[in-house]
Amino acid sequence: MNSLGIDKEPKDTRVVVAMSGGVDSSVTAALLHEQGYDVVGITLQLYDHGEMIQKTGACCAGQDIYDARNVADTLGFPHYVLDYESKFKDSVIQEFADSYARGETPIPCVRCNQTVKFRDLLATAKDLGADVMATGHYVQQMQGPLKAEMHRGADPNKDQSYFLFATTQEQLDFLRFPLGGMEKAETREHAARFGLEVADKPDSQDICFVPDGSYVSIVEKLRPEAVEDGEIVHMDGTVLGRHNGIIKYTIGQRRGLGIGGRIDDTDPLYVIKLDPANQRVIVGPREALAVKSILLTEVNWIGDSKLSEGSVKVMAKVRSSMKPVAASVEATPLGDVKVTFDDPLYGVSPGQACVFYQDNRMLGGGWILSPRD
């Protein structure tokens, strides 16, 4: 059994490495090549070179494709560029715009992993005869008593398990994450040791296809109705002002509302709800943000038990940067999946993900639905 868990010699084990052009995926490929594996690098062209070639901090655009190819050439393994622009537009960019138009706060990098990378690219890797596919994500694939499990990355500051909650068991069995047990500084040391030009390359930003970080411009172009003017309304029905597009507001936002509140308001007002059907931003006091339970859609579960068998105690995250909180998750008679928090959470936003953990193991997650009125 080799280091990837395959019963072959490394030279007879084909590994397709998803190479974004950054330091993480480059070092992943370099380490596997150094260990004698039959490495094939693949980079996806996800959006137009002309628009993105000057964009810094992106991935899968002109400069990044060049960097990935240069790493492969330097180390001496084959590298291919696949045009996934149409797939990316349909599966990620359009869904991103639709989600904002629905008054949600989307996470496009999760959709990208869920569709383009771990569905389409993984299928391509199998077509190429790969035994496994490796990525530069900071998570760990470990063999548990029953099956392969996904665990948090060893570096808590780089752990990316939240963004990989939609990874299915079948995909997890085929995936490998060589950097999962490392810290970022160690990865850069390896890059320098291999003499890679990307050793000091900055990390890519989360939303790679958004020029200058202005997601409003993307949504305005694709879904102009989402930037129509409307009212800012207190939850008691009082109209407090006007806005110039609900996509410019997020649940839990306090600053920059542009309203003075009511005469009897002594506490700050927060965005409580976005109402795209009526182009309204609903505001209220902080206590109105408290959420005791939520419903999820498109739930992926890779835990050992079945949610239909009863409630499961978990630690849950509704934002990537938050510390997990105690909760229980269960399937309802209506077919929904319900998460109930031990203590109320504040600022839970539809369109974000709720991800489940037990200790360091990631059990899956789902997309947060808008509350039912």
Side-chain angles (χ1 to χ4, degrees):
M1 196 74 69
N2 60 38
S3 64
L4 297 178
I6 304 298
D7 192 16
K8 293 182 180 180
E9 292 294 322
K11 64 181 179 61
D12 299 320
T13 304
R14 174 161 292 181
V15 184
V16 164
V17 180
M19 299 183 67
S20 68
V23 63
D24 296 328
S25 59
S26 296
V27 169
T28 296
L31 289 171
L32 293 170
H33 183 260
E34 181 181 53
Q35 294 170 31
Y37 288 101
D38 176 15
V39 172
V40 177
I42 292 184
T43 301
L44 305 180
Q45 178 193 328
L46 298 182
Y47 34 74
D48 181 72
H49 284 65
E51 291 183 8
M52 306 305 294
I53 195 167
Q54 299 299 325
K55 186 177 186 299
T56 59
C59 73
C60 309
Q63 180 63 44
D64 302 283
I65 292 172
Y66 170 82
D67 288 341
R69 181 181 289 118
N70 188 49
V71 168
D73 289 345
T74 298
L75 298 176
F77 60 83
H79 173 261
Y80 302 97
V81 178
L82 303 181
D83 184 355
Y84 273 35
E85 187 173 339
S86 177
K87 294 176 184 289
F88 186 72
K89 182 177 181 180
D90 292 340
S91 299
V92 180
I93 298 179
Q94 296 289 350
E95 170 58 27
F96 173 82
D98 286 340
S99 184
Y100 264 113
R102 292 192 297 265
E104 300 171 348
T105 306
I107 317 175
C109 50
V110 174
R111 285 292 185 193
C112 184
N113 291 325
Q114 182 181 19
T115 57
V116 174
K117 292 181 180 176
F118 285 2
R119 184 190 65 197
D120 299 333
L121 178 55
L122 192 144
T124 298
K126 290 183 177 180
D127 289 341
L128 291 173
D131 294 286
V132 295
M133 186 173 90
T135 79
H137 289 102
Y138 286 87
V139 297
Q140 302 183 78
Q141 192 240 41
M142 297 183 174
Q143 190 60 45
L146 299 178
K147 56 188 177 182
E149 301 173 354
M150 182 181 291
H151 288 241
R152 290 188 179 103
D155 184 346
N157 295 318
K158 291 299 294 181
D159 169 51
Q160 293 171 296
S161 58
Y162 178 88
F163 299 100
L164 300 182
F165 81 83
T167 305
T168 66
Q169 188 64 50
E170 181 182 3
Q171 292 167 346
L172 183 59
D173 291 340
F174 192 71
L175 289 164
R176 299 295 185 272
F177 309 101
L179 305 187
M182 299 184 189
E183 294 188 354
K184 183 69 179 214
E186 186 179 353
T187 299
R188 292 200 182 276
E189 288 172 3
H190 279 299
R193 176 172 68 84
F194 286 117
L196 304 182
E197 292 183 7
V198 297
D200 297 319
K201 187 175 181 178
D203 290 343
S204 61
Q205 66 179 44
D206 285 343
I207 305 179
C208 59
F209 58 89
V210 179
D212 304 319
S214 177
Y215 62 83
V216 172
S217 63
I218 294 288
V219 181
E220 187 173 23
K221 179 180 178 180
L222 297 174
R223 302 292 182 271
E225 67 277 7
V227 290
E228 293 180 2
D229 293 351
E231 295 174 333
I232 300 176
V233 184
H234 194 280
M235 55 190 303
D236 69 4
T238 305
V239 177
L240 301 178
R242 294 191 64 81
H243 65 79
N244 59 351
I246 63 171
I247 64 168
K248 300 177 182 179
Y249 296 82
T250 57
I251 302 298
Q253 179 179 338
R254 180 170 72 89
R255 298 183 182 278
L257 300 184
I259 54 175
R262 304 169 307 173
I263 295 177
D264 58 346
D265 282 328
T266 57
D267 296 322
L269 295 175
Y270 297 79
V271 175
I272 304 300
K273 180 182 177 182
L274 299 176
D275 180 7
N278 298 299
Q279 295 297 336
R280 283 184 160 192
V281 174
I282 313 299
V283 299
R286 183 177 184 273
E287 55 264 27
L289 285 168
V291 173
K292 181 64 177 177
S293 64
I294 55 176
L295 292 177
L296 307 180
T297 187
E298 296 183 53
V299 172
N300 178 58
W301 178 259
I302 53 175
D304 294 335
S305 62
K306 295 181 179 179
L307 292 179
S308 58
E309 295 175 347
S311 177
V312 179
K313 294 295 293 183
V314 298
M315 300 297 288
K317 296 174 67 170
V318 297
R319 292 181 297 277
S320 62
S321 58
M322 72 175 282
K323 292 183 178 180
V325 297
S328 60
V329 57
E330 61 184 328
T332 72
L334 296 177
D336 296 315
V337 171
K338 181 180 181 180
V339 181
T340 303
F341 304 106
D342 287 14
D343 298 306
L345 284 186
Y346 292 81
V348 178
S349 180
Q352 293 279 290
C354 180
V355 181
F356 319 125
Y357 296 87
Q358 285 179 344
D359 296 323
N360 281 324
R361 183 182 177 187
M362 195 279 289
L363 302 176
W367 300 101
I368 301 171
L369 287 168
S370 297
R372 292 173 179 169
D373 295 324

